[in-house]
Amino acid sequence: MTTPTATEQQPSGPALPGEPPAAPPPRRRSPERAARLRRAGLRLLALAVLLALWQLVTALRLWSPLLVPPPSAVWDALVETSGTHDGVRGYQGHTLIEHLGISLRRIAIGAGAGVLAGLVAGVLMGTLPWVRVVFEPAVAFLRTLPPLAYFSLLIIWFGIDEAPKLWLLAIAAMPPVAVATASAVASAPASLVEAARAIGARRPQVVASVVLPSALPEILVGVRLAFGIAYSSV
């Protein structure tokens, strides 16, 4: 029978005076953090491969530089449009961030108005059957029609200023929200609606307290689709 050595007999604890402190155990990387690092590395690798292929295509002159410019030319154009160079300020007198701000303002105003109109139309279509019968064909027609198809008519009606652009975004954003809201409102839990009516709630109270909260997730999906369509129409 072997006797344990002095090192094996000592319990693990604080180091004695005069002895160096014990090294802390190595930290193990959590699986979630390792997975995030792998995903980030894979995305960076994919971006590097894409840039390399882009540079290779432009170096081989497979297409004209006017159609496929090299990455360096795109970067130079980005730098030039982002500030003032050789006395020229950005693109057409505005920097890139200013152009972006104008586009975002158009989306906020136009798509915001379309979302509000879609919410009102969807609630009315979902709660009043005769409203759904009257307006559902028009909403379905606008939903299937590409937004840029009626841009010429908007220019004829409202001119070439900001008005036709805002109307275009509003008309493009309204149908997805109206359809999603009408479907969600119509499929609200009947038991909750009947319970609210049983305690004396009126139609506006039922809609505000029962129908809209239950329909909120589907309405948000319609709002997300509306802003996506509006952004692609800008």
Side-chain angles (χ1 to χ4, degrees), residues 8 31 60 65 70 78 82 133 154 156 160 165 170-171 184 192 198 206:
E8 294 175 346
L60 294 177
L78 175 63
S82 299
V133 172
L154 295 177
I156 295 173
I160 60 174
K165 303 177 181 67
I171 297 175
L192 297 179
V206 173

Side-chain angles (χ1 to χ4, degrees), residues 79-113:
V79 173
E80 290 178 1
T81 55
S82 299
T84 302
H85 299 276
D86 298 332
V88 180
R89 188 172 185 270
Y91 176 72
Q92 294 184 349
H94 297 280
T95 60
L96 185 63
I97 192 65
E98 292 174 348
H99 284 289
L100 179 61
I102 294 172
S103 299
L104 293 179
R105 182 179 63 84
R106 291 172 180 170
I107 293 175
I109 298 175

Side-chain angles (χ1 to χ4, degrees), residues 15-44:
L16 297 176
E19 294 184 359
R27 293 183 178 180
R28 293 186 177 181
R29 187 177 298 173
S30 62
E32 294 81 4
R33 184 181 178 185
R36 288 196 299 267
L37 291 177
R38 284 197 299 268
R39 287 195 298 267
L42 184 60
R43 289 171 182 171
L44 292 177

Side-chain angles (χ1 to χ4, degrees), residues 16 19 34 49 55 58 84 90 94 108 111 148 164 175 202 211 216 225 228:
L16 297 176
E19 294 184 359
V49 172
Q55 182 64 40
T58 56
T84 302
H94 297 280
L148 296 178
R202 298 181 179 180
V211 175
L216 187 60
L225 293 175

Side-chain angles (χ1 to χ4, degrees), residues 160-216:
I160 60 174
D161 203 2
E162 287 291 309
K165 303 177 181 67
L166 299 179
W167 274 101
L168 173 69
L169 298 178
I171 297 175
M174 189 271 290
V177 180
V179 172
T181 303
S183 176
V185 169
S187 60
S191 58
L192 297 179
V193 174
E194 294 297 332
R197 290 176 179 174
I199 61 177
R202 298 181 179 180
R203 183 188 293 269
Q205 294 174 335
V206 173
V207 172
S209 302
V210 177
V211 175
L212 288 181
S214 65
L216 187 60

